[in-house]
Amino acid sequence: MKKFTFLMFFFLVWGFSHAQKKNGTVFIEHPAMEKVNMLWQAFEQGDQAAYGNLLADTVMVFFNGNRTLRTREAESKNLEWWASEFENLKVVADTPAYADAIEYKESGVWVQDWLRIQATHIKTGNNVDLSIHNLYSFNKDGLITSLHHYFNNDVFEHLRNDQRTRENGKVYINHPYILKVRKLVNAYCAEDIEGMLPFYAEDVAFSNSTLKLKEQKDLAAQQKDWERIFDTWDNIQMKQVGYPDCIYYELNNNYVVYSWWNFSAVAKEDGRKVVFPIMLSQTFNDDGKIVYSLAYYSTNHFE
């Protein structure tokens, strides 16, 4: 048994040692990394000459795996597009990630980094914060022979779309969902919680302008809020201002009703009356139930 255990240990150690094969060295500081920094400094400044001096005569450029062979001059000329399309252009490290330089025994020096390109798009006013992962290969003369860029192209697709006039659905002045909102408001003013519940989906989310960003409530929590309001206030009324809009959004394939009201109520404790404007935004699902309800108002009127 001891002999068997020893042999097993021997073969495990032997197998582990032979499963690894060193193929190079990784550096956290390296002259090639300094050249990459110079490349991006030239990119920020739109300095085509400085940018081109760091490239080989011909350079292979990859965008999300798609390969293009370019001359040094053609690749450098791309800086004109960035300079004409963006302002306040800067490139920063995508911390906590940091760059590495690797000297491979067979394939030479490579650098990899993770950066963020930040700028304002001049034509649309969009602020861009693009995460980009890059790989660079170098020849024996220390010039970059290939550039590999990996990024989310949706950022640029969004910028292109913003420059086009595009319809995104329809606006309805009369619609069944508008009628549902009006009936829901009537049930609220009647303090009829049971009458309100059928208008909502089970997974409905509630929010309002007094909550923190992205903070939401579920139906049970919202029902407690209604009960607290009905216990505190009397003669609740909501008078419609203007007219509601029901908008079908093609992009998200949903319907949203926007409505404007003057809310009024009388405090049960001291007879104080409050009046203030309120806007409602309610999103409907395919079953005609409200899945998201957002209210805009100020709590100052309750103080």
Side-chain angles (χ1 to χ4, degrees), residues 57-75:
D57 290 339
T58 56
V59 58
M60 196 69 71
V61 183
F62 296 76
F63 294 102
N64 293 326
N66 297 314
R67 182 177 63 178
T68 303
L69 180 63
R70 293 178 176 168
T71 63
R72 174 195 292 129
E73 291 74 17
E75 176 60 17

Side-chain angles (χ1 to χ4, degrees), residues 141-210:
D141 297 324
L143 297 175
I144 297 172
T145 56
S146 69
L147 294 163
H148 305 249
H149 305 298
Y150 298 91
F151 54 89
N152 183 357
N153 195 58
D154 289 350
V155 173
F156 298 102
E157 187 66 26
H158 179 68
L159 295 178
R160 283 190 289 270
N161 287 337
D162 271 3
Q163 296 176 67
R164 298 184 296 176
T165 300
R166 176 188 176 190
E167 293 183 354
N168 185 31
K170 298 179 179 179
V171 180
Y172 298 90
I173 193 170
N174 294 309
H175 194 279
Y177 292 163
I178 292 178
L179 302 183
K180 288 189 175 185
V181 169
R182 188 174 292 121
K183 292 177 180 179
L184 173 61
V185 169
N186 289 340
Y188 178 85
C189 292
E191 302 182 14
D192 182 7
I193 293 178
E194 291 301 318
M196 297 168 61
L197 294 178
F199 290 95
Y200 297 102
E202 292 183 0
D203 59 348
V204 60
F206 295 86
S207 185
N208 62 66
S209 52
T210 71

Side-chain angles (χ1 to χ4, degrees), residues 22-286:
K22 189 174 182 179
N23 187 35
T25 306
V26 180
F27 297 86
I28 194 170
E29 294 182 358
H30 193 280
M33 296 170 67
E34 296 176 6
K35 292 184 177 181
V36 167
N37 291 336
M38 293 169 60
L39 184 80
W40 286 109
Q41 289 173 8
F43 173 84
E44 286 182 338
Q45 298 165 7
D47 189 339
Q48 296 184 41
Y51 191 90
N53 287 339
L54 296 163
L55 306 177
D57 290 339
T58 56
V59 58
M60 196 69 71
V61 183
F62 296 76
F63 294 102
N64 293 326
N66 297 314
R67 182 177 63 178
T68 303
L69 180 63
R70 293 178 176 168
T71 63
R72 174 195 292 129
E73 291 74 17
E75 176 60 17
S76 301
K77 194 172 179 62
N78 284 332
L79 271 62
E80 291 182 4
W81 180 83
W82 284 93
S84 64
E85 292 285 327
F86 297 92
E87 60 185 359
N88 304 321
L89 181 64
K90 63 179 180 178
V91 182
V92 298
D94 194 2
T95 54
Y98 55 87
D100 295 311
I102 305 173
E103 288 188 0
Y104 291 103
K105 290 182 178 180
E106 297 182 359
S107 54
V109 176
W110 285 72
V111 171
Q112 61 176 349
D113 61 20
W114 292 263
L115 304 173
R116 302 189 79 90
I117 298 178
Q118 299 172 338
T120 299
H121 190 237
I122 297 172
K123 296 176 182 177
T124 66
N126 281 305
N127 293 317
V128 173
D129 188 3
L130 177 68
S131 296
I132 181 169
H133 173 47
N134 308 286
L135 300 169
Y136 320 79
S137 63
F138 289 78
N139 61 20
K140 294 180 179 179
D141 297 324
L143 297 175
I144 297 172
T145 56
S146 69
L147 294 163
H148 305 249
H149 305 298
Y150 298 91
F151 54 89
N152 183 357
N153 195 58
D154 289 350
V155 173
F156 298 102
E157 187 66 26
H158 179 68
L159 295 178
R160 283 190 289 270
N161 287 337
D162 271 3
Q163 296 176 67
R164 298 184 296 176
T165 300
R166 176 188 176 190
E167 293 183 354
N168 185 31
K170 298 179 179 179
V171 180
Y172 298 90
I173 193 170
N174 294 309
H175 194 279
Y177 292 163
I178 292 178
L179 302 183
K180 288 189 175 185
V181 169
R182 188 174 292 121
K183 292 177 180 179
L184 173 61
V185 169
N186 289 340
Y188 178 85
C189 292
E191 302 182 14
D192 182 7
I193 293 178
E194 291 301 318
M196 297 168 61
L197 294 178
F199 290 95
Y200 297 102
E202 292 183 0
D203 59 348
V204 60
F206 295 86
S207 185
N208 62 66
S209 52
T210 71
L211 297 178
K212 294 180 180 179
L213 186 65
K214 297 184 179 180
E215 183 180 357
Q216 296 180 346
K217 297 180 179 181
D218 60 14
L219 185 55
Q222 185 62 39
Q223 186 170 339
K224 291 181 180 178
D225 283 350
W226 291 331
E227 293 171 351
R228 184 172 60 254
I229 291 172
F230 297 155
D231 289 340
T232 308
W233 298 90
D234 203 359
N235 194 25
I236 297 174
Q237 297 182 33
M238 291 180 64
K239 183 178 179 181
Q240 182 178 305
V241 177
Y243 55 87
D245 289 318
C246 179
I247 301 181
Y248 168 69
Y249 290 103
E250 181 179 341
L251 184 62
N252 296 320
N253 189 31
N254 62 16
Y255 288 84
V256 182
V257 174
Y258 300 99
S259 57
W260 295 263
W261 312 82
N262 280 332
F263 177 97
S264 65
V266 177
K268 291 183 178 181
E269 182 179 7
D270 57 11
R272 178 171 57 94
K273 185 177 181 179
V274 296
V275 180
F276 60 86
I278 182 171
M279 175 187 174
L280 301 178
S281 170
Q282 288 153 321
T283 304
F284 288 78
N285 64 14
D286 293 338

